[in-house]
Structure formats: structure tokens, C-alpha cells
Amino acid sequence: MGVGIQLTTGVVTRDGDSVAAAVGTAVPGVLLILIGDQAMKYWTSVNIPLNSAQRSFIPNVVDITNIHNSGAAFGILRNAGARWFFIALAIIFVALVVWLLKNDVIKGRFGRWMLVMVMAGGVGNCLDRIISGYVVDMFQFAPKFLKWFPVFNIADIFISVCGILFCI
């Protein structure tokens, strides 16, 4: 055996990681995101009355409220009964991410990680839609000039921030 020979079986990524190892190392990160997201949604549901109260989370920056959103950002499609559309979209996206990782389409660890984090956020919101029929959103920007911004949750943060980083 010479230097640089890969001893793993199966497909190897351009970074030298086996695809199984790349996917396997992402699982704990995905689980941590899902646990944090679901725990915060549970805490919010138990401690903040629906549509009525706000608590300061980061004073003068972010408040916590309790909103049930059956649509997308800004409540888009909330009255269209789009629950199953969003569930199907999340399932298709998860399958696409797994296929992209398995086939080493995404080059570089950073890109793969960002895609996995977007997927984790999508799964978090999908779980809400499957279980409750809506997504629990809780973070709202406190400054008055940002009150127009939609209320969001931990899953939304991963979807948005990691999605932007993936595109960059």
C-alpha cells in the first residue's frame, strides 16, 4: 500500500472522505439541530400564550412570542391548506440532499455541511407540520423598524442562514 491509498470501501468524495463517513458525521449535527429546534418550540408552546404575549429574549433585539404558522414565511399559503405540499416538499428535499451527497455532487466539506444544515431545518419544520399541522414560530425582532419581518424559529435560521452560505 502506498501513500494516499484510500482504505475505505465505496464512493470517496473529492475531499478524500468516504460518502458514508461524510453522511455519518452529519447525523449528530442534524440530531442536535432537531432536538434544539423541537425543545424551543415545546418550551414556547408551554410558556408563552398563543398570539398574545412576548418576552424579551435579547433585550431590544429579539423577543419571544408564540405563533402557529400553517403557511410559509410571512404566512404565505397559510389559508390554502398547503400543509401536505410543504410536507411533500421537505421529503423531496431530503431525498435530493441524500442523493447529492451519495453521488458526491456537492464539492467541498463546507458546501455539504451547509446543505445538511438546511435539510435539518426543513426536517424540523416538517415534523411540526406532520404532528400539529402548523409550525411553531417564536423569534421576533424587537426594534420597531423590523416589526415587518416574519416571526421565525430555530429551523428557519438554519434554512435561511445555511442556505445563503451554501449559495455563496
Side-chain angles (χ1 to χ4, degrees):
M1 285 187 204
V3 177
I5 292 178
Q6 192 68 282
L7 297 177
T8 59
T9 59
V11 178
V12 176
T13 68
R14 285 169 182 77
D15 292 350
D17 298 333
S18 74
V19 171
V23 172
T25 57
V27 171
V30 169
L31 289 176
L32 282 173
I33 292 168
L34 288 174
I35 290 168
D37 177 60
Q38 294 298 308
M40 187 65 193
K41 289 172 178 174
Y42 176 77
W43 182 89
T44 299
S45 296
V46 169
N47 292 290
I48 308 287
L50 181 64
N51 296 327
S52 63
Q54 291 183 343
R55 289 190 186 173
S56 181
F57 183 63
I58 302 173
N60 301 315
V61 178
V62 176
D63 293 332
I64 297 181
T65 187
N66 183 0
I67 304 292
H68 292 175
N69 184 358
S70 58
F74 298 101
I76 296 169
L77 299 177
R78 72 172 167 255
N79 296 324
R83 172 186 185 191
W84 298 108
F85 169 75
F86 287 121
I87 290 170
L89 188 63
I91 292 168
I92 291 166
F93 184 72
V94 168
L96 177 64
V97 169
V98 170
W99 183 86
L100 290 170
L101 293 174
K102 182 176 183 268
N103 290 291
D104 194 28
V105 174
I106 307 301
K107 285 116 178 102
R109 287 184 183 120
F110 184 78
R112 289 192 298 270
W113 271 103
M114 291 305 101
L115 196 59
V116 166
M117 297 301 114
V118 171
M119 180 186 72
V123 169
N125 283 342
C126 184
L127 286 174
D128 286 358
R129 287 187 170 93
I130 290 169
I131 295 167
S132 306
Y134 54 84
V135 172
V136 176
D137 288 329
M138 76 282 302
F139 298 117
Q140 184 172 30
F141 286 117
K144 291 186 189 219
F145 70 92
L146 289 175
K147 287 293 184 184
W148 59 268
F149 198 83
V151 179
F152 57 97
N153 59 44
I154 292 172
D156 295 336
I157 294 169
F158 280 94
I159 293 167
S160 301
V161 173
C162 295
I164 290 168
L165 290 172
F166 175 80
C167 291
I168 293 173

